[in-house]
Amino acid sequence: MTGTRPVTGGGAETGAPTEAGRRTVADRRTAPGGRLRVPRPVVPHPVVLLRWSRAGVLGMVAVTTLLYLVVANRAGEQLAAANRTSTALEHIRSAHDQALVAGAVLRAVSRTGAIDLTGTSTAFATATARVSSQLTSATAGNAAGQQGLSHIQFVQGQLATCVRLADTAVLDGQAGLDRALDALDDAPERDGGHPVPFTGGLTRSLTDLQDLEETAYHHQLHSGWRSPGLLWPLFMAPAAVMLLLVCASGRLVVRRFRRWPSWAFPAALLADASVGVLMCVTRPPTAALVLPVLAAAGALAHLAYRPRLAEYRFPRS
């Protein structure tokens, strides 16, 4: 007779947990005081933290490089327009100087009292022709939009009026000459003690035109992609994040690896931040200068982390 093994209690053979086993599992899940045991959070290994930090630092260098390329391109176009405006301002100043010469010539003719014999002289015709030429050249660099173009056309109309009055002064005598001088040097109207722009003679209108274009010129230099309110946050944000990562990495190296942080940490941060500061306070430097500096920042960052990470590289069998 083949014997069969007796089935014992407790379910040991069938795999059912015994009461003692259930108590053991429950004991493992609870603290000694009967409280539920909270599992400890898993802390990444310091090497993993260093790798994450290195990726963040290199990422900030890449962000700074991208920002430089975008801002330098956009700001370059804006600065090119500002250079054209600067040239236009030089033409307006030259036109103003020539208008003063024309006024001096007319006053000299007025003192002689012989306008009917000498006319306005060739010097007056030459000076007014130069004023017209300079105003035409200034139109190409107008930065004040439609308002600036309208005022340039208004001043050109004033110039034509001065020339016409000076030409007719040969027939009208001293009275006609006085009208031509008023068209050149007439004082502007005032509103509450302040002169009203473009209400005076030709020379005063040229001064008002210069003030208008200078205001537009300064707006070009400090607006849009050259605005300090945009550039400082834009370039200092990556530098600030990089500073936090470098400080955290240095603390990790000191506390977990018992080593002094590498000199390459602050060097990489300084190289990256210097590009941002230069972009905020000066015209965009050339790519031949900035890109090598940013490449050096990336290389220094890699060099700063390499010794500690190399300690945990083991050859594969």
Side-chain angles (χ1 to χ4, degrees), residues 74-98:
R74 300 295 184 180
E77 297 175 357
Q78 190 171 340
L79 290 173
N83 289 335
R84 291 192 295 270
T85 304
S86 177
T87 303
L89 282 169
E90 294 177 2
H91 289 307
I92 294 173
R93 295 188 189 101
S94 179
H96 182 269
D97 294 340
Q98 292 300 318

mmCIF file of all heavy atoms in Angstrom, residues 74-98:
data_model
loop_
_atom_site.group_PDB
_atom_site.id
_atom_site.type_symbol
_atom_site.label_atom_id
_atom_site.label_comp_id
_atom_site.label_asym_id
_atom_site.label_seq_id
_atom_site.Cartn_x
_atom_site.Cartn_y
_atom_site.Cartn_z
ATOM 1 N N ARG A 74 19.679 90.352 -34.009
ATOM 2 C CA ARG A 74 18.609 91.360 -33.978
ATOM 3 C C ARG A 74 19.147 92.738 -33.618
ATOM 4 O O ARG A 74 18.767 93.739 -34.229
ATOM 5 C CB ARG A 74 17.544 90.940 -32.970
ATOM 6 C CG ARG A 74 16.892 89.604 -33.267
ATOM 7 C CD ARG A 74 16.115 89.641 -34.552
ATOM 8 N NE ARG A 74 15.417 88.397 -34.796
ATOM 9 C CZ ARG A 74 14.657 88.154 -35.847
ATOM 10 N NH1 ARG A 74 14.525 89.074 -36.775
ATOM 11 N NH2 ARG A 74 14.061 86.996 -35.991
ATOM 12 N N ALA A 75 20.020 92.778 -32.625
ATOM 13 C CA ALA A 75 20.577 94.067 -32.219
ATOM 14 C C ALA A 75 21.473 94.651 -33.299
ATOM 15 O O ALA A 75 21.571 95.874 -33.445
ATOM 16 C CB ALA A 75 21.367 93.906 -30.916
ATOM 17 N N GLY A 76 22.126 93.778 -34.083
ATOM 18 C CA GLY A 76 22.961 94.278 -35.177
ATOM 19 C C GLY A 76 22.136 95.046 -36.199
ATOM 20 O O GLY A 76 22.568 96.092 -36.701
ATOM 21 N N GLU A 77 20.953 94.534 -36.518
ATOM 22 C CA GLU A 77 20.083 95.251 -37.445
ATOM 23 C C GLU A 77 19.650 96.588 -36.856
ATOM 24 O O GLU A 77 19.607 97.613 -37.555
ATOM 25 C CB GLU A 77 18.850 94.393 -37.751
ATOM 26 C CG GLU A 77 19.174 93.082 -38.455
ATOM 27 C CD GLU A 77 17.953 92.216 -38.636
ATOM 28 O OE1 GLU A 77 16.856 92.623 -38.157
ATOM 29 O OE2 GLU A 77 18.062 91.138 -39.256
ATOM 30 N N GLN A 78 19.334 96.587 -35.564
ATOM 31 C CA GLN A 78 18.910 97.822 -34.909
ATOM 32 C C GLN A 78 20.050 98.835 -34.852
ATOM 33 O O GLN A 78 19.839 100.037 -35.059
ATOM 34 C CB GLN A 78 18.418 97.484 -33.504
ATOM 35 C CG GLN A 78 17.729 98.634 -32.796
ATOM 36 C CD GLN A 78 17.078 98.170 -31.507
ATOM 37 O OE1 GLN A 78 16.817 96.990 -31.316
ATOM 38 N NE2 GLN A 78 16.831 99.100 -30.616
ATOM 39 N N LEU A 79 21.250 98.371 -34.584
ATOM 40 C CA LEU A 79 22.392 99.284 -34.528
ATOM 41 C C LEU A 79 22.759 99.804 -35.909
ATOM 42 O O LEU A 79 23.239 100.938 -36.042
ATOM 43 C CB LEU A 79 23.583 98.570 -33.896
ATOM 44 C CG LEU A 79 23.449 98.277 -32.401
ATOM 45 C CD1 LEU A 79 24.600 97.411 -31.920
ATOM 46 C CD2 LEU A 79 23.397 99.575 -31.603
ATOM 47 N N ALA A 80 22.543 99.005 -36.945
ATOM 48 C CA ALA A 80 22.787 99.492 -38.305
ATOM 49 C C ALA A 80 21.844 100.647 -38.633
ATOM 50 O O ALA A 80 22.252 101.644 -39.251
ATOM 51 C CB ALA A 80 22.618 98.356 -39.309
ATOM 52 N N ALA A 81 20.574 100.518 -38.209
ATOM 53 C CA ALA A 81 19.631 101.618 -38.409
ATOM 54 C C ALA A 81 20.050 102.845 -37.600
ATOM 55 O O ALA A 81 19.923 103.987 -38.071
ATOM 56 C CB ALA A 81 18.225 101.174 -38.014
ATOM 57 N N ALA A 82 20.570 102.616 -36.397
ATOM 58 C CA ALA A 82 21.038 103.737 -35.575
ATOM 59 C C ALA A 82 22.242 104.428 -36.215
ATOM 60 O O ALA A 82 22.385 105.653 -36.131
ATOM 61 C CB ALA A 82 21.394 103.254 -34.173
ATOM 62 N N ASN A 83 23.097 103.666 -36.875
ATOM 63 C CA ASN A 83 24.236 104.272 -37.572
ATOM 64 C C ASN A 83 23.768 105.161 -38.723
ATOM 65 O O ASN A 83 24.342 106.234 -38.970
ATOM 66 C CB ASN A 83 25.164 103.182 -38.106
ATOM 67 C CG ASN A 83 25.924 102.478 -36.998
ATOM 68 O OD1 ASN A 83 26.135 103.039 -35.923
ATOM 69 N ND2 ASN A 83 26.316 101.239 -37.238
ATOM 70 N N ARG A 84 22.713 104.718 -39.421
ATOM 71 C CA ARG A 84 22.164 105.560 -40.488
ATOM 72 C C ARG A 84 21.566 106.840 -39.912
ATOM 73 O O ARG A 84 21.698 107.919 -40.502
ATOM 74 C CB ARG A 84 21.103 104.775 -41.271
ATOM 75 C CG ARG A 84 21.672 103.634 -42.103
ATOM 76 C CD ARG A 84 20.649 103.093 -43.070
ATOM 77 N NE ARG A 84 19.522 102.468 -42.388
ATOM 78 C CZ ARG A 84 19.478 101.181 -42.067
ATOM 79 N NH1 ARG A 84 20.505 100.382 -42.354
ATOM 80 N NH2 ARG A 84 18.410 100.668 -41.468
ATOM 81 N N THR A 85 20.939 106.727 -38.760
ATOM 82 C CA THR A 85 20.383 107.918 -38.111
ATOM 83 C C THR A 85 21.499 108.856 -37.660
ATOM 84 O O THR A 85 21.369 110.082 -37.752
ATOM 85 C CB THR A 85 19.522 107.513 -36.912
ATOM 86 O OG1 THR A 85 18.501 106.612 -37.346
ATOM 87 C CG2 THR A 85 18.866 108.722 -36.278
ATOM 88 N N SER A 86 22.589 108.297 -37.164
ATOM 89 C CA SER A 86 23.719 109.121 -36.757
ATOM 90 C C SER A 86 24.277 109.909 -37.942
ATOM 91 O O SER A 86 24.613 111.092 -37.823
ATOM 92 C CB SER A 86 24.812 108.245 -36.145
ATOM 93 O OG SER A 86 25.942 108.997 -35.794
ATOM 94 N N THR A 87 24.348 109.248 -39.109
ATOM 95 C CA THR A 87 24.798 109.947 -40.319
ATOM 96 C C THR A 87 23.817 111.042 -40.710
ATOM 97 O O THR A 87 24.216 112.145 -41.128
ATOM 98 C CB THR A 87 24.960 108.938 -41.468
ATOM 99 O OG1 THR A 87 25.881 107.917 -41.068
ATOM 100 C CG2 THR A 87 25.483 109.620 -42.718
ATOM 101 N N ALA A 88 22.509 110.755 -40.577
ATOM 102 C CA ALA A 88 21.499 111.773 -40.884
ATOM 103 C C ALA A 88 21.631 112.979 -39.958
ATOM 104 O O ALA A 88 21.452 114.126 -40.397
ATOM 105 C CB ALA A 88 20.104 111.165 -40.769
ATOM 106 N N LEU A 89 21.960 112.732 -38.701
ATOM 107 C CA LEU A 89 22.159 113.846 -37.769
ATOM 108 C C LEU A 89 23.341 114.718 -38.186
ATOM 109 O O LEU A 89 23.294 115.949 -38.056
ATOM 110 C CB LEU A 89 22.376 113.305 -36.358
ATOM 111 C CG LEU A 89 21.118 112.841 -35.616
ATOM 112 C CD1 LEU A 89 21.491 112.089 -34.342
ATOM 113 C CD2 LEU A 89 20.235 114.046 -35.275
ATOM 114 N N GLU A 90 24.385 114.089 -38.688
ATOM 115 C CA GLU A 90 25.520 114.872 -39.169
ATOM 116 C C GLU A 90 25.111 115.751 -40.352
ATOM 117 O O GLU A 90 25.530 116.907 -40.454
ATOM 118 C CB GLU A 90 26.654 113.934 -39.569
ATOM 119 C CG GLU A 90 27.256 113.165 -38.396
ATOM 120 C CD GLU A 90 28.325 112.183 -38.848
ATOM 121 O OE1 GLU A 90 28.609 112.147 -40.067
ATOM 122 O OE2 GLU A 90 28.871 111.466 -37.989
ATOM 123 N N HIS A 91 24.270 115.220 -41.236
ATOM 124 C CA HIS A 91 23.793 116.020 -42.372
ATOM 125 C C HIS A 91 22.939 117.195 -41.888
ATOM 126 O O HIS A 91 23.042 118.307 -42.428
ATOM 127 C CB HIS A 91 22.972 115.143 -43.319
ATOM 128 C CG HIS A 91 23.794 114.158 -44.092
ATOM 129 N ND1 HIS A 91 24.883 114.520 -44.843
ATOM 130 C CD2 HIS A 91 23.670 112.806 -44.243
ATOM 131 C CE1 HIS A 91 25.410 113.440 -45.420
ATOM 132 N NE2 HIS A 91 24.693 112.396 -45.060
ATOM 133 N N ILE A 92 22.101 116.969 -40.882
ATOM 134 C CA ILE A 92 21.254 118.054 -40.369
ATOM 135 C C ILE A 92 22.108 119.126 -39.701
ATOM 136 O O ILE A 92 21.851 120.329 -39.864
ATOM 137 C CB ILE A 92 20.205 117.473 -39.390
ATOM 138 C CG1 ILE A 92 19.236 116.552 -40.142
ATOM 139 C CG2 ILE A 92 19.440 118.597 -38.710
ATOM 140 C CD1 ILE A 92 18.270 115.810 -39.240
ATOM 141 N N ARG A 93 23.122 118.722 -38.959
ATOM 142 C CA ARG A 93 24.009 119.714 -38.340
ATOM 143 C C ARG A 93 24.733 120.533 -39.412
ATOM 144 O O ARG A 93 24.895 121.747 -39.278
ATOM 145 C CB ARG A 93 25.019 119.005 -37.435
ATOM 146 C CG ARG A 93 24.399 118.311 -36.228
ATOM 147 C CD ARG A 93 25.482 117.805 -35.287
ATOM 148 N NE ARG A 93 24.927 116.950 -34.244
ATOM 149 C CZ ARG A 93 24.968 115.640 -34.238
ATOM 150 N NH1 ARG A 93 25.574 114.994 -35.236
ATOM 151 N NH2 ARG A 93 24.430 114.938 -33.262
ATOM 152 N N SER A 94 25.183 119.847 -40.451
ATOM 153 C CA SER A 94 25.843 120.554 -41.545
ATOM 154 C C SER A 94 24.880 121.522 -42.232
ATOM 155 O O SER A 94 25.261 122.650 -42.588
ATOM 156 C CB SER A 94 26.397 119.551 -42.557
ATOM 157 O OG SER A 94 27.021 120.201 -43.640
ATOM 158 N N ALA A 95 23.621 121.101 -42.409
ATOM 159 C CA ALA A 95 22.618 121.987 -43.004
ATOM 160 C C ALA A 95 22.382 123.209 -42.124
ATOM 161 O O ALA A 95 22.229 124.331 -42.631
ATOM 162 C CB ALA A 95 21.311 121.222 -43.217
ATOM 163 N N HIS A 96 22.363 123.007 -40.814
ATOM 164 C CA HIS A 96 22.193 124.129 -39.892
ATOM 165 C C HIS A 96 23.365 125.106 -40.001
ATOM 166 O O HIS A 96 23.165 126.336 -40.015
ATOM 167 C CB HIS A 96 22.073 123.608 -38.462
ATOM 168 C CG HIS A 96 21.848 124.669 -37.442
ATOM 169 N ND1 HIS A 96 22.887 125.298 -36.785
ATOM 170 C CD2 HIS A 96 20.712 125.240 -36.962
ATOM 171 C CE1 HIS A 96 22.405 126.193 -35.942
ATOM 172 N NE2 HIS A 96 21.081 126.189 -36.022
ATOM 173 N N ASP A 97 24.573 124.574 -40.084
ATOM 174 C CA ASP A 97 25.748 125.449 -40.227
ATOM 175 C C ASP A 97 25.680 126.250 -41.525
ATOM 176 O O ASP A 97 26.009 127.450 -41.550
ATOM 177 C CB ASP A 97 27.029 124.615 -40.192
ATOM 178 C CG ASP A 97 27.255 123.959 -38.839
ATOM 179 O OD1 ASP A 97 26.664 124.418 -37.844
ATOM 180 O OD2 ASP A 97 28.011 122.955 -38.789
ATOM 181 N N GLN A 98 25.246 125.611 -42.606
ATOM 182 C CA GLN A 98 25.145 126.313 -43.880
ATOM 183 C C GLN A 98 24.028 127.358 -43.857
ATOM 184 O O GLN A 98 24.140 128.414 -44.491
ATOM 185 C CB GLN A 98 24.897 125.313 -45.013
ATOM 186 C CG GLN A 98 26.077 124.391 -45.292
ATOM 187 C CD GLN A 98 27.328 125.170 -45.682
ATOM 188 O OE1 GLN A 98 27.272 126.136 -46.456
ATOM 189 N NE2 GLN A 98 28.465 124.742 -45.141
#
